[in-house]
Amino acid sequence: QVQLVESGGGLVQAGGSLRLSCVASVRTFGSRAMGWFRQAPGKEREFVAGVSSSGDSTRYTDSVKGRFTISRDNAKNMVYLQMNALKPEDTAVYYCAATSLYTGVAVPTTSYAYWGQGTQVTVSS
């Protein structure tokens, strides 16, 4: 069983920055692609960023390219999402997700088998 715990959310003004962290309690962390998703009120959960198991490959949804950076530290079982130049439309609950021993970057929600409880990010205008 994989447990994921996110932290780092909060309230920030537009243009500000936040860094989300996710710790995974699994011995095979280095063999799993990881991702960040978000869900705003009344909307479906959407892909934000993904990273391969090695950390060498990443993908982003178009709306966050150039502003968000996903990274991972396999020695610490951690994945991060650095969010800069935040906009009010980035307001959502952000979820960390892990695949089932898939090593490439995964985009579809259905590619992920394990989810954290989410952390709220609110960007004020």
Side-chain angles (χ1 to χ4, degrees):
Q1 188 70 12
V2 178
Q3 291 188 325
L4 304 171
V5 179
E6 304 98 335
S7 60
L11 173 64
V12 64
Q13 289 187 332
S17 298
L18 283 174
R19 188 195 194 202
L20 305 184
S21 299
C22 172
V23 60
S25 60
V26 63
R27 294 167 66 180
T28 54
F29 179 79
S31 299
R32 299 175 185 269
M34 300 291 294
W36 286 96
F37 288 74
R38 66 186 179 187
Q39 188 167 18
K43 295 187 177 181
E44 293 187 353
R45 191 170 298 188
E46 65 169 348
F47 172 83
V48 176
V51 61
S52 62
S53 59
S54 66
D56 291 344
S57 299
T58 57
R59 285 190 67 179
Y60 300 89
T61 191
D62 287 345
S63 62
V64 308
K65 285 180 181 177
R67 301 188 297 122
F68 290 11
T69 303
I70 188 171
S71 61
R72 66 189 295 161
D73 184 339
N74 286 348
K76 297 181 178 179
N77 279 22
M78 298 288 294
V79 62
Y80 307 97
L81 186 67
Q82 178 66 44
M83 306 185 295
N84 298 328
L86 283 161
K87 304 175 181 180
E89 51 263 44
D90 294 319
T91 295
V93 177
Y94 283 70
Y95 298 89
C96 174
T99 60
S100 292
L101 299 177
Y102 179 74
T103 58
V105 180
V107 175
T109 306
T110 52
S111 298
Y112 292 84
Y114 304 97
W115 298 83
Q117 82 288 351
T119 185
Q120 176 71 46
V121 171
T122 303
V123 185
S124 63
S125 57

